[in-house]
């Protein structure tokens, strides 16, 4: 019987400022919390709330995990295959 795969996950990429923030994460707890939030967003890129803005740029979204205390600001490309993280807190 052929193996069935789940839905395709979005690929996560980081802006330069988010990549710098990643370099500053040192605790296992922070890394674990961020990883869990990234998995949620990769499975469902529309999970975050839209952030009101003008229509000149991409629609920013905010995902907050109150349990892990992580906030991600990101946008989704037109094909919804790549989520670009613009800012994160862990």
């Amino acid at each position: 019987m052929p193996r069935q795969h789940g839905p395709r996950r979005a690929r996560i990429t980081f802006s330069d400022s988010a990549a710098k923030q990643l370099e500053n994460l040192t605790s296992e707890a922070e890394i674990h919390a961020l990883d869990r939030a990234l998995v949620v967003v990769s499975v469902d890129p529309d999970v975050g709330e839209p952030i009101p803005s003008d229509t000149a740029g991409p629609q920013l979204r905010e995902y907050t995990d109150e349990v892990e205390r992580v906030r991600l600001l990101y946008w989704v490309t037109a094909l919804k295959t790549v989520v670009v993280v613009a800012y994160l807190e862990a």
Side-chain angles (χ1 to χ4, degrees):
M1 185 167 165
R3 185 182 215 182
Q4 292 193 346
H5 298 282
R8 185 170 169 223
R9 293 167 96 178
R11 185 179 63 157
I12 306 285
T13 62
F14 300 94
S15 68
D16 291 342
S17 61
K20 280 191 172 215
Q21 290 175 332
L22 282 174
E23 292 173 5
N24 293 328
L25 293 180
T26 56
S27 93
E28 288 281 329
E30 288 177 329
I31 294 168
H32 177 74
L34 177 59
D35 187 51
R36 288 175 50 99
L38 292 172
V39 167
V40 170
V41 172
S42 73
V43 170
D44 182 7
D46 295 323
V47 70
E49 296 294 322
I51 296 174
S53 65
D54 61 16
T55 58
Q59 173 67 57
L60 288 175
R61 301 184 73 80
E62 177 179 10
Y63 170 72
T64 304
D65 182 329
E66 298 295 334
V67 174
E68 296 289 348
R69 296 180 39 198
V70 173
R71 181 173 72 137
L72 302 175
L73 297 182
Y74 64 97
W75 73 86
V76 181
T77 64
L79 297 176
K80 292 196 174 191
T81 57
V82 178
V83 176
V84 180
V85 176
Y87 179 79
L88 54 101
E89 291 178 346

